[in-house]
Amino acid sequence: MIIQCPSCQSIRIAALHNGRRVCGSVGTAAGAASGVAAATGGARVGMTLGYVAGPGGSLLGGIAGAVIGGLIGGVAGGEAGAALGDKLDQTFLDNLKCLDCDHAFRIDTD
């Protein structure tokens, strides 16, 4: 299906993906914060058990756990946010822009 601008009938159309970008960024930040918080709780247990290996080992284990938790949470949150943003783009936002006349519009898929 060829998409045309409803204003000037041009076929030079670009997808903006504003919702995907914003929701993906917010989801990444929220997921990273949540992942670090969850990993910090686990790191406390790891640090307590890590004292068997010595204080240096427990500190590095705690830091590594927090970093890995933040990365995993950030990826999961970013994916969830991007999926939500795609749905917003398709449903509510004017996600398409004509490159000839700068008209922003959306295509109703119903």
Side-chain angles (χ1 to χ4, degrees), residues 4-91:
Q4 289 185 320
C5 173
S7 179
C8 72
Q9 309 310 313
S10 171
I11 59 171
R12 295 186 57 226
I13 307 297
L16 299 175
H17 299 296
N18 290 329
R20 181 182 183 140
R21 273 196 298 265
V22 170
C23 291
S25 298
V26 170
T28 299
S34 174
V36 168
T40 301
R44 287 187 193 123
V45 174
M47 287 174 65
T48 303
L49 297 174
Y51 275 121
V52 174
S58 66
L59 179 63
L60 290 177
I63 292 171
V67 168
I68 290 171
L71 290 173
I72 291 171
V75 168
E79 288 294 320
L84 174 64
D86 274 341
K87 195 63 169 171
L88 287 173
D89 282 336
Q90 293 170 7
T91 307

Side-chain angles (χ1 to χ4, degrees), residues 68-109:
I68 290 171
L71 290 173
I72 291 171
V75 168
E79 288 294 320
L84 174 64
D86 274 341
K87 195 63 169 171
L88 287 173
D89 282 336
Q90 293 170 7
T91 307
F92 298 109
L93 301 177
D94 290 341
N95 189 39
L96 301 171
K97 180 178 180 181
C98 178
L99 298 176
D100 287 336
C101 70
D102 287 333
H103 177 69
F105 62 97
R106 69 182 158 126
I107 302 280
D108 290 325
T109 57

